[in-house]
Amino acid sequence: MRRRQFLLAALTLTPGIGCQSLREAFGVKSNPAPAGTGAVQKVTAEQLVGYLNIQAGRLQNVSYGEVTVSAKEGDGIRGALREMAYPNLRGNLSASQPRNFRMVAKGGLVDVKVDLGSNPDQFWVYFTAPQMPPTYVFASHSDFEAGKAKVPGNMPVDPDWIMQALGMTTFQPGPQYVATADERARTYTLSWDTTTPNRVPIRKEVVFNADDADAGRGQPQVKKHLIRDAKGKVLAYAEVKAAKTVPAGGNDPQSGRPYVVQYPTELLLRWEEQKFEMTLKLDAGRINAQMTPQDTRRLFDLPNIPGANPLNLAEARFGAQ
């Protein structure tokens, strides 16, 4: 039962990103061929990293006034084993650079509540449902990165993946990145090797639409974020199903066009080993709102939840999940 609590709660530490014309970002000034036609332009890893960093510089914070969370567990999407659907939750979500994140959601007819958050020092997960004792755990980022704080269920949860998926992560330049193009799918993939907090080798990927996304149709420029094991098997992914493109302030001095930024409006999160997937519909979005120190503390400090005492994951010992 505890494992399911974390499947519904901790796995939400994962949403996706996107943004404006790749051709302009890469300095291509010629008229492009119609989307879906012509050869896929060659790009470098440095260009893809640079594109992500430009967009991260334009998206300092984002908040969603209306969030709908739907989740299901099982192999039903493959026509195999049984499938379990969880009740929809509704709430709100806020995030700001570099590591601030908060999503609070609850059920309508069912008394379920989730509170997930992160700040520069720590992250937390709170979950309560009928006939279940409240679960409230937290950990410092340093303990988690050192492998001292274990999330129950051995799930590859990384709080910083939220910020990457929302387009708020600045990537450090270096030789670790590899860029590839898929002519048939018309995508670019940026990939790099890293490890989980418990030192398990993994490979991370960001998949881009090689054609300029049609902002009017809500197409994302960055389509997917994946985590693979050392053999290439997909462990988890966050697919950006839809995104909104908005002005980010200022204009390109050469083209005169306004700078824009994208943020996701629908995400599909899938965790393969846990056979669990979650859809986040993110509405009433607002970006780069001015935030006071009081706003930041109210949103992103470890919350005081009546009737629940937070347990430090670095000190917790869980039995079989």
Side-chain angles (χ1 to χ4, degrees):
M1 189 67 73
R2 181 183 294 275
R3 175 179 174 273
R4 283 188 179 161
Q5 294 178 34
F6 280 89
L7 282 172
L8 184 58
L11 288 184
T12 315
L13 293 176
T14 347
I17 78 178
C19 283
Q20 143 183 38
S21 168
L22 282 172
R23 296 178 65 90
E24 290 187 4
F26 297 159
V28 178
K29 302 303 180 183
S30 60
N31 292 326
T37 65
V40 172
Q41 176 194 351
K42 294 186 181 299
V43 300
T44 66
E46 290 77 13
Q47 286 175 308
L48 294 176
V49 169
Y51 175 79
L52 293 173
N53 287 345
I54 288 172
Q55 299 307 319
R58 296 176 184 172
L59 188 62
Q60 294 301 303
N61 64 65
V62 62
S63 62
Y64 300 94
E66 300 175 13
V67 174
T68 303
V69 183
S70 58
K72 57 185 177 181
E73 181 181 359
D75 278 344
I77 58 173
R78 296 178 180 174
L81 303 177
R82 61 136 180 97
E83 180 177 301
M84 174 184 291
Y86 294 89
N88 286 355
L89 305 180
R90 290 178 171 81
N92 54 73
L93 184 155
S94 298
S96 71
Q97 295 194 40
R99 256 179 168 173
N100 290 325
F101 171 83
R102 181 85 177 276
M103 188 183 83
V104 179
K106 58 184 180 180
L109 300 178
V110 181
D111 187 18
V112 175
K113 183 176 180 181
V114 174
D115 189 328
L116 310 171
S118 173
N119 59 41
D121 300 317
Q122 58 194 358
F123 68 94
W124 66 89
V125 177
Y126 171 80
F127 179 84
T128 186
Q131 301 180 343
M132 291 184 185
T135 297
Y136 190 10
V137 297
F138 74 98
S140 69
H141 290 293
S142 58
D143 281 344
F144 185 74
E145 290 161 0
K148 298 178 181 178
K150 307 292 187 182
V151 177
N154 296 319
M155 294 176 293
V157 175
D158 183 349
D160 287 338
W161 205 36
I162 307 170
M163 308 309 289
Q164 175 188 326
L166 288 173
M168 294 180 170
T169 297
T170 299
F171 292 81
Q172 295 298 318
Q176 67 270 32
Y177 305 105
V178 176
T180 56
D182 186 324
E183 292 279 351
R184 175 174 294 184
R186 301 192 68 82
T187 59
Y188 301 126
T189 298
L190 178 72
S191 58
W192 65 100
D193 293 325
T194 184
T195 60
T196 65
N198 56 348
R199 304 297 182 261
V200 175
I202 57 173
R203 189 168 184 83
K204 289 190 175 183
E205 297 177 354
V206 180
V207 180
F208 301 72
N209 188 344
D211 298 307
D212 286 349
D214 186 341
R217 297 173 56 190
Q219 290 182 348
Q221 194 71 65
V222 176
K223 297 165 65 72
K224 211 168 188 179
H225 301 260
L226 300 99
I227 300 177
R228 299 179 183 271
D229 66 15
K231 296 182 179 179
K233 179 183 177 182
V234 174
L235 299 175
Y237 66 82
E239 181 178 358
V240 187
K241 305 292 286 187
K244 187 171 183 178
T245 304
V246 296
N251 296 290
D252 185 294
Q254 295 184 351
S255 68
R257 296 180 183 178
Y259 292 129
V260 298
V261 67
Q262 269 190 0
Y263 58 85
T265 56
E266 183 176 353
L267 300 166
L268 171 63
L269 314 177
R270 175 73 183 172
W271 296 80
E272 293 294 351
E273 290 192 16
Q274 289 78 16
K275 297 179 173 50
F276 182 89
E277 70 177 40
M278 179 180 296
T279 298
L280 302 179
K281 291 189 176 179
L282 306 165
D283 297 314
R286 184 185 179 195
I287 71 165
N288 297 339
Q290 186 172 6
M291 298 184 67
T292 67
Q294 291 81 3
D295 293 331
T296 300
R297 287 194 295 270
R298 173 178 56 83
L299 282 171
F300 305 121
D301 276 2
L302 185 73
N304 181 13
I305 301 176
N309 295 317
L311 175 67
N312 190 338
L313 284 172
E315 302 170 355
R317 296 294 180 268
F318 296 101
Q321 306 302 320

